[in-house]
Amino acid sequence: MPPQPHPVRASESGNVPRHVAIVMDGNGRWARKRFMPRVYGHKVGVEALVRVVQSCADRGIEHLSVFAFSSENWKRPSDEVSGLMGLVLVAVSKYLAKLAGDGVRIRIVGDRSVVSDKLRAAWREAEESTAHNTRITLSVAFNYGGRWDVVQACRRIVEAGTPPERIDEALLASHMAMSYAPDPDLFIRTGGEVRISNFMLWQTAYSELYFTHCLWPDFGDTELDAALAAYARRDRRFGEVRDSAPVLAVAPHAEG
Ligand code: IPE
Ligand code: IPE
Ligand code: MG
């Protein structure tokens, strides 16, 4: 891979989020509307993801983190779970070379201890072959839960024999699974549900939340740009008072 120049990123100069997190929800309903099996919705959802990574990179977003399989998704019917596992393997073999060539660095976050050796090997390959890319970092949360993340961070801190008085927010943050990324500026959930469903609980303390009814396989540039435009209009105060804050109230919960 030739060295990649560091472009001037939109996120360094404008109102573009550095880090976007997405709960890619609605694949099952998208498939059902077409009288297709749910796993078909997941397959088309992967294609949407590959497009959205490119769109985010084009807009100067540095980190895209997506929720692909939650700690709770094991409760689904076994054929859907095994279909999803198989789909990850297919997705890696089908799209890894393209993503790597497009300058995407891939990271997988979540508990790998319970997935198959094959899947672990595919992830290792995805991470190692893209480790030097710098255009955008795609973090795929798989067998991930925000609560799991806090627990694994605490465990590692305790295992290191850290005295309690040294434990503070910065130390905990440095042990979270995505400590290499800034906290998400913009948190998007597709599919119409208005909840977090255990994604990045620690890191989203001050994220701007954006919910859309668009089902994930239909999510594309129009929806992404609508979310980015909504983000650009938000007044992020982080607990401060700002006289410039608009008096008006905000929009209904689902903007899309
Ligand atoms: C999200 O889509 C993808 C995963 C959880 C793997 P869903 O499968 O939850 O789709 P809906 O919400 O049932 O439509
Ligand atoms: C959240 O979606 C998890 C992923 C998108 C991977 P779910 O469909 O599992 O969430 P709930 O069950 O509606 O809360
Ligand atoms: Mg769902």
Side-chain angles (χ1 to χ4, degrees):
M1 164 79 30
Q4 296 154 23
H6 174 67
V8 175
R9 298 179 185 281
S11 52
E12 285 166 7
S13 56
N15 218 352
V16 175
R18 287 186 68 195
H19 185 173
V20 174
I22 307 184
V23 177
M24 308 182 292
D25 195 25
N27 295 347
R29 280 165 283 162
W30 186 93
R32 213 170 51 212
K33 273 169 64 178
R34 289 160 179 78
F35 306 100
M36 296 294 281
R38 294 176 55 83
V39 174
Y40 178 67
H42 297 316
K43 181 173 173 285
V44 181
V46 173
E47 291 163 15
L49 173 59
V50 173
R51 287 194 307 271
V52 169
V53 177
Q54 187 70 51
S55 299
C56 286
D58 287 346
R59 285 156 179 73
I61 292 160
E62 295 167 48
H63 288 270
L64 172 65
S65 300
V66 295
F67 207 6
F69 189 86
S70 77
S71 318
E72 291 73 31
N73 286 147
W74 295 103
K75 296 177 198 159
R76 296 190 174 201
S78 60
D79 60 337
E80 181 170 348
V81 171
S82 57
L84 276 162
M85 303 291 157
L87 190 59
V88 177
L89 293 174
V90 172
V92 170
S93 70
K94 197 165 167 191
Y95 297 111
L96 179 56
K98 177 186 162 34
L99 292 171
D102 287 344
V104 179
R105 176 172 74 138
I106 299 176
R107 300 289 298 256
I108 313 294
V109 289
D111 182 0
R112 302 184 189 209
S113 64
V114 293
V115 303
S116 71
D117 291 346
K118 253 187 168 173
L119 205 49
R120 259 198 299 275
W123 283 338
R124 202 175 322 113
E125 189 199 346
E127 290 184 326
E128 287 175 6
S129 64
T130 62
H132 301 295
N133 283 347
T134 56
R135 188 158 166 249
I136 186 170
T137 298
L138 169 65
S139 298
V140 180
F142 198 97
N143 195 19
Y144 174 89
R147 290 180 174 176
W148 165 85
D149 202 356
V150 174
V151 169
Q152 68 79 28
C154 292
R155 274 201 188 153
R156 290 198 291 130
I157 290 168
V158 170
E159 275 163 13
T162 314
E165 63 278 10
R166 275 207 49 228
I167 300 176
D168 58 14
E169 291 184 15
L171 186 81
L172 200 53
S174 72
H175 285 77
M176 301 300 288
M178 270 173 259
S179 60
Y180 52 83
D183 286 346
D185 302 293
L186 173 61
F187 176 104
I188 299 172
R189 180 172 184 143
T190 63
E193 309 293 358
V194 186
R195 55 180 170 252
I196 308 288
S197 295
N198 201 14
F199 193 36
M200 299 180 82
L201 298 179
W202 170 271
Q203 301 89 335
T204 51
Y206 270 102
S207 301
E208 294 298 324
L209 307 181
Y210 180 89
F211 298 96
T212 169
H213 291 286
C214 177
L215 302 174
W216 175 250
D218 291 329
F219 193 87
D221 284 358
T222 307
E223 292 74 24
L224 178 64
D225 287 334
L228 294 175
Y231 172 81
R233 290 192 296 270
R234 303 278 177 93
D235 184 29
R236 304 187 76 189
R237 292 190 291 280
F238 299 99
E240 296 172 25
V241 174
R242 301 226 180 110
D243 288 342
S244 60
V247 180
L248 138 54
V250 187
H253 60 250
E255 294 177 58

